[in-house]
Amino acid sequence: MTLGKDFLPRLGSALVLAPVALFAAYAGGWLFTGFLGLAALLVLWEWVVMTAARPKRPVLAFAGLSLAAAAGLTQWQGVAAGLAALGLGAAPLALVAERRVWALAGLAYAGAAVVPAVALRQDPAAGGVALFWLFAVVWGTDIAAYFCGRLIGGPKLWPRVSPNKTWSGAIGGTVVGTAAGLLAVSAFGVPATPALLAVGVLASIASQGGDLYESAMKRHFGCKDSSALIPGHGGLMDRLDGFVAAALVALVIGVLRNPQSPASGLLGL
């Protein structure tokens, strides 16, 4: 098996960022909200630069204020308030942006980087476990897809969008990511039910879909990486693409199963 030349920088970055993310998720509250809010603002900046949004400063200002409000209101009042802040922020953004569709899409994408995870973490009983489950699924999927793709190889998953991804990596990532999620919740005494297994499969597939979406974005705009913030990974969009999609799917499932407590609904508690 031949590892990519970016493997060691990727490993080093992961060893630094993963503990920080886990600690923030464990702490919860405004620390976690601030951590994700800052990440979402950086994602927004990368999106604006990648899509060449104009005028740059007004777009960043209106979208950034909307994101900050969405993060704070989600923590304070819940997911509906956070989504309302994004909706209200979309109106002035649409007025000032020259490329309205891409600007609004950037606000929605950056919002998905913060609102779902903060909404899940709000549950005092299950929020922390739900976030650890989410991290386990996304990271397990990403790591297994990387190694299975290089060890097994085989047919490409979608060569037009991401020429390095294979079906073996996608399947291996789904299996390992789902299993990692079940092991994570089992460590907290949450039963690994068939329903949670199915949710894990959906979240793992969503994570890989988020990765493919971001690859398509970069290909469309002729970018290798969303930025150069993280050695070996590129930018935060490159690091959070799977997490954004998986968190959004997790929140939708959690709200459908238990609107008052999405984290409990997600885990079937």
Side-chain angles (χ1 to χ4, degrees), residues 194-243:
L196 189 54
L197 185 149
V199 171
V201 170
L202 290 175
S204 178
I205 293 173
S207 176
Q208 297 182 68
D211 193 342
L212 287 171
Y213 172 77
E214 203 247 351
S215 294
M217 281 279 298
K218 291 188 293 186
R219 186 167 292 271
H220 178 79
F221 288 102
C223 301
K224 182 181 183 296
D225 296 312
S226 60
S227 75
L229 283 175
I230 308 173
H233 284 297
L236 273 183
M237 281 180 64
D238 300 308
R239 179 65 279 175
L240 294 178
D241 48 14
F243 178 81

Side-chain angles (χ1 to χ4, degrees), residues 25-126:
Y26 171 78
W30 288 103
L31 176 63
F32 182 63
T33 299
F35 172 74
L36 272 191
L38 177 59
L41 288 171
L42 290 172
V43 165
L44 172 67
W45 170 74
E46 290 178 346
W47 182 287
V48 168
V49 172
M50 182 188 298
T51 61
R54 296 290 183 272
K56 184 176 179 180
R57 289 184 179 178
V59 167
L60 282 171
F62 282 112
L65 287 172
S66 178
L67 271 180
L73 286 172
T74 302
Q75 168 66 29
W76 184 35
Q77 292 291 329
V79 64
L83 293 176
L86 291 176
L88 290 173
L93 182 61
L95 290 175
V96 301
E98 294 176 4
R99 306 176 73 181
R100 294 182 181 87
V101 173
W102 284 113
L104 292 172
L107 175 60
Y109 188 88
V114 60
V115 171
V118 170
L120 289 171
R121 185 61 184 88
Q122 275 189 304
D123 186 337

